[in-house]
Amino acid sequence: MSLLELKPTQHQQKLSVLVPVHNLGDSILENIQLLISEIEPYFQSYEVLIISNGSTDETNQKLRAFQHPKCRMIIIPETIGKGNSIRRGFFEAQGEYILFIDGGMELHPREIRIFFGLMSLYDADIVLGSKRHPQSEIEYPLIRRFLSGIYQMMLRYFFDLDVTDTQVGLKLFKRKVVEDVRELMEVGGYGFDLEVLALAKLKGHGKMLEAPVRLDYFDKNRRRGLAELLHVFRVGWSVMADTMRVYRKVIHLRKERADWKSDQPGPIKINR
């Protein structure tokens, strides 16, 4: 019996798939068709929300011309970042389960049904892809592996998140998790993933399960040598700025919660 057969009734509930895209005119239609081909046989009810933000190539024209009954296009003219794009999708999504996957499809959408099976089996609040899962198949630059490892150790210390990789662009949520965090989300850049997980844990949704992924970074990425190194440090600087912002926010919310609890009246004592 496969994971997908464990709770077949779950697959009758609606799945919303959010796909943030930016300047993917060369591959966007092919990627959407690949995504649909991996969802349609396994989910009776689903929707795909393609969220284009700040695209300046042919992406938006191709999206407007594409027609599919299960696809909705959200075209945002200005560049608002991946995090804000997904936050917009969180408010638009109608499914009982909500997943986001990067529009470049570096992570193959075949993983979606596996994530769903794992959520069903373990009753997880969130299933997230992890490059550090022992069953993951990863082709990844050494400098990125090194820096990512340091970053994840720092996150475990400061945020007490029991995960080994917060940054993979494939995550599945129960709807309740999304409803509890979307109003609090603020980070539009690379720290978005961390913010979602930290807020989810703060709201009591701490059952997070990591799942293996297959990722060939070199197959999709055209940067090499110095260009790749400069990109890594530019992204790293942005991630650290977002991380400090999320940390300050979590500390503030924890303090608010502690103050609220301390203000609650204690039990009434009755003297006999």
Side-chain angles (χ1 to χ4, degrees):
M1 178 180 288
S2 73
L3 289 175
L4 293 172
E5 296 169 333
L6 289 171
K7 290 186 179 178
T9 56
Q10 191 176 56
H11 298 282
Q12 296 172 8
Q13 295 174 297
K14 190 167 188 175
L15 171 68
S16 294
V17 179
L18 314 181
V19 188
V21 302
H22 175 75
N23 285 347
L24 290 178
D26 291 343
S27 59
I28 185 62
L29 296 185
E30 178 184 348
N31 290 353
I32 294 173
Q33 289 163 352
L34 172 64
L35 176 64
I36 292 171
S37 73
E38 292 290 344
I39 297 173
E40 207 155 51
Y42 303 97
F43 298 91
Q44 295 183 18
S45 179
Y46 73 91
E47 63 175 355
V48 176
L49 280 66
I50 314 295
I51 309 156
S52 172
N53 88 96
S55 294
T56 56
D57 62 357
E58 297 179 343
T59 300
N60 294 343
Q61 295 93 310
K62 291 185 176 181
L63 289 178
R64 289 188 180 101
F66 182 78
Q67 299 291 323
H68 190 282
K70 297 296 181 70
C71 288
R72 286 194 280 150
M73 311 303 173
I74 301 173
I75 296 176
I76 305 167
E78 64 274 15
T79 301
I80 62 172
K82 174 184 170 182
N84 286 323
S85 297
I86 293 176
R87 182 173 183 268
R88 170 73 179 271
F90 279 171
F91 281 99
E92 296 276 351
Q94 299 172 357
E96 292 301 312
Y97 299 89
I98 301 170
L99 175 140
F100 70 77
I101 182 170
D102 288 343
M105 300 296 152
E106 292 89 354
L107 297 159
H108 199 284
R110 73 169 67 91
E111 314 293 353
I112 293 173
R113 61 184 184 268
I114 297 172
F115 276 41
F116 213 92
L118 289 169
M119 180 168 278
S120 171
L121 178 62
Y122 293 100
D123 192 30
D125 298 313
I126 305 170
V127 178
L128 57 152
S130 172
K131 297 185 294 295
R132 289 181 174 76
H133 192 285
Q135 296 178 11
S136 289
E137 299 174 12
I138 302 296
E139 293 293 335
Y140 212 53
L142 184 60
I143 183 65
R144 282 179 171 259
R145 289 176 184 262
F146 175 72
L147 294 175
S148 177
I150 293 175
Y151 179 65
Q152 296 301 325
M153 286 190 292
M154 183 186 75
L155 296 188
R156 285 196 294 275
Y157 179 80
F158 285 105
F159 293 91
D160 192 30
L161 286 173
D162 189 22
V163 297
T164 64
D165 191 353
T166 59
Q167 299 306 112
V168 170
L170 180 58
K171 293 179 174 68
L172 173 65
F173 305 85
K174 289 180 177 177
R175 183 173 187 86
K176 177 61 175 169
V177 179
V178 170
E179 290 177 340
D180 283 351
V181 304
R182 62 190 180 188
E183 294 282 359
L184 297 170
M185 291 166 52
E186 295 177 349
V187 175
Y190 294 102
F192 155 78
D193 300 82
L194 170 63
E195 182 183 41
V196 171
L197 298 179
L199 290 175
K201 181 167 184 178
L202 197 63
K203 287 291 186 177
H205 306 294
K207 196 169 184 181
M208 303 179 192
L209 179 68
E210 293 186 283
V213 294
R214 281 171 278 188
L215 172 64
D216 187 345
Y217 180 84
F218 300 102
D219 182 52
K220 296 287 185 178
N221 177 48
R222 295 184 177 88
R223 290 183 301 271
R224 295 292 185 270
L226 181 59
E228 171 64 13
L229 188 63
L230 291 173
H231 175 74
V232 167
F233 282 102
R234 180 179 64 82
V235 170
W237 180 263
S238 177
V239 167
M240 289 306 299
D242 285 348
T243 300
M244 294 309 300
R245 183 179 175 187
V246 174
Y247 180 70
R248 289 192 295 267
K249 180 175 187 173
V250 168
I251 293 298
H252 175 71
L253 291 173
R254 285 174 180 168
K255 185 176 184 303
E256 276 190 346
R257 186 170 63 176
D259 290 345
W260 179 84
K261 287 182 178 179
S262 66
D263 288 340
Q264 300 306 300
I268 299 174
K269 295 182 179 179
I270 301 175
N271 296 321
R272 294 177 180 266

